[in-house]
Amino acid sequence: MISTSIHPDLHINSYGSYLRRRFGCRISKVNVDGGFTCPNRDGVRGTGGCIYCDNSSFSPGGTVAAIPVEIQMAEGMAYHRKRLGSEKFIIYFQKFTNTYGPVEKLHDLYSRALAHPDVVGISIGTRPDALSDPAIDLLTDLARTSYVCLELGLQSMDDSILTQINRGHTLADYLQAVERVSGRGMDICTHLIHGFPGESPADFIRTAQLISSLPVNSLKIHQLHAVKDTRLAEWYYDGRFVPLTHQQYVADLCDFLELTPPSVTIQRLYGSAPLAIRVAPTWDLKNNQMWYSVVNELKRRGTWQGCRLAEGGRNVSNLC
């Protein structure tokens, strides 16, 4: 039996549909830059950042820390109102590690975002190794009256890959972070990337089994892609990084989704970068084409998110 949370046309539990059910109107996420850095950039955990990281590849151009957060919010909300007819908003602190700073700074930024009457909540992008007890307590307090989503970047559950990409944390760090924030009234979103050198489809799909055992509320997944002036781009040029084909990525992602609990909302299924800095892969698909390539493959298979899971998370592949 298909869960009622699965969108009948999309075959997944889409985050947009979840927000509409929860808040009763169209909700958009508005990206802002709070002026943070990362512990694997400033020397605490490492230097140089992740090998693929260039925030300009996934951040709107108007989000820069020098601009007051209120102005960033206003510009983003106006854009989504006009483009999508959005009525309410979640402010997304996206760039770098947005719990990595004094709790006074966090309180100031989060509170200013939540003060807007059309803002229903905040989403905080961070790392599992950058969550102080005061930061968790602050988010817990805010979650009593507003929607709070903590977005934890795991990227891979393989510690050797995490070392290879200069991630600076381990799977154990991630599991500990999930345990520390679970039951605190906030949603937990996990970020994953597929296509690392040395990673097999089975390795990636094994992560779905990990997620099904954890109190994770939503997922963001995208293909590994290289942009200019990153170490990953150097790896691509010298042959150390061979990108997945679009066909392989879609097939692996659908296998992953079939083993993902239907209660987990899907925030993202792919990544893109501006053409001016994109190196590889060059699938040349628009965002909606990428989204529907996954949806259409699930339809072709006659499967849906979680169809290979029974109650209790048991693997029952004959359900698909």
Side-chain angles (χ1 to χ4, degrees):
M1 181 177 178
I2 302 178
S3 168
T4 56
S5 61
I6 300 299
H7 193 289
D9 296 323
L10 301 179
H11 289 222
I12 63 172
N13 182 5
S14 74
Y15 187 61
S17 297
Y18 160 73
L19 292 176
R20 187 181 289 270
R21 292 194 302 269
R22 176 162 178 168
F23 295 105
C25 64
R26 179 126 195 179
I27 306 289
S28 283
K29 291 177 74 173
V30 172
N31 294 25
V32 296
D33 182 350
F36 294 93
T37 184
C38 288
N40 69 337
R41 284 179 173 271
D42 66 6
V44 171
R45 285 286 181 126
T47 57
C50 303
I51 64 168
Y52 51 78
C53 187
D54 179 349
N55 270 268
S56 64
S57 70
F58 51 78
S59 301
T63 56
V64 293
I67 300 174
V69 68
E70 290 84 359
I71 296 177
Q72 296 182 55
M73 289 166 52
E75 292 179 352
M77 289 188 286
Y79 171 80
H80 286 290
R81 281 195 185 99
K82 181 177 180 179
R83 178 173 175 266
L84 299 173
S86 303
E87 300 173 60
K88 299 291 182 179
F89 304 92
I90 293 169
I91 304 304
Y92 180 22
F93 290 88
Q94 179 194 34
K95 288 186 179 179
F96 301 118
T97 304
N98 294 269
T99 57
Y100 188 51
V103 72
E104 295 79 13
K105 175 181 178 178
L106 307 183
H107 183 274
D108 175 63
L109 287 169
Y110 303 164
S111 298
R112 286 161 60 192
L114 290 168
H116 194 287
D118 290 335
V119 170
V120 297
I122 54 175
S123 201
I124 310 297
T126 191
R127 294 164 52 92
D129 58 350
L131 281 169
S132 66
D133 288 339
I136 293 175
D137 289 341
L138 170 62
L139 292 170
T140 302
D141 185 55
L142 295 174
R144 293 189 177 98
T145 54
S146 301
Y147 173 79
V148 175
C149 181
L150 188 70
E151 302 195 19
L152 291 173
L154 172 59
Q155 316 310 2
S156 172
M157 65 178 289
D158 186 324
D159 282 341
S160 64
I161 288 177
L162 294 176
T163 298
Q164 177 190 50
I165 64 175
N166 197 42
R167 185 66 188 163
H169 67 73
T170 64
L171 173 61
D173 292 326
Y174 164 79
L175 294 174
Q176 183 183 59
V178 170
E179 182 178 6
R180 291 172 65 211
V181 301
S182 176
R184 295 287 200 120
M186 67 191 85
D187 278 8
I188 301 172
C189 175
T190 295
H191 291 211
L192 298 171
I193 297 174
H194 180 37
F196 291 114
E199 178 191 52
S200 69
D203 293 332
F204 173 62
I205 293 164
R206 190 162 54 94
T207 312
Q209 298 167 327
L210 171 69
I211 295 299
S212 70
S213 70
L214 298 172
V216 170
N217 303 96
S218 63
L219 287 173
K220 283 185 172 181
I221 310 170
H222 70 79
Q223 78 282 7
L224 182 64
H225 58 273
V227 297
K228 289 182 179 179
D229 300 322
T230 62
R231 278 172 291 170
L232 186 62
E234 295 175 5
W235 286 18
Y236 171 73
Y237 290 127
D238 67 21
R240 285 184 288 169
F241 166 49
V242 178
L244 294 173
T245 65
H246 173 247
Q247 182 180 18
Q248 182 66 63
Y249 179 73
V250 170
D252 293 348
L253 186 53
C254 288
D255 289 344
F256 184 102
L257 290 169
E258 290 169 3
L259 286 167
T260 300
S263 60
V264 175
T265 61
I266 306 301
Q267 294 204 36
R268 182 176 66 193
L269 291 173
Y270 58 90
S272 60
L275 184 60
I277 62 172
R278 187 185 311 160
V279 172
T282 52
W283 294 340
D284 294 327
L285 295 173
K286 295 180 180 178
N287 287 351
N288 63 334
Q289 292 175 315
M290 187 62 223
W291 175 270
Y292 278 101
S293 65
V294 177
V295 170
N296 290 337
E297 174 60 14
L298 288 172
K299 290 180 178 179
R300 187 195 68 79
R301 296 181 180 194
T303 63
W304 57 90
Q305 180 184 332
C307 71
R308 291 168 61 188
L309 293 175
E311 290 186 17
R314 292 181 293 111
N315 184 347
V316 282
S317 57
N318 60 338
L319 286 184
C320 287

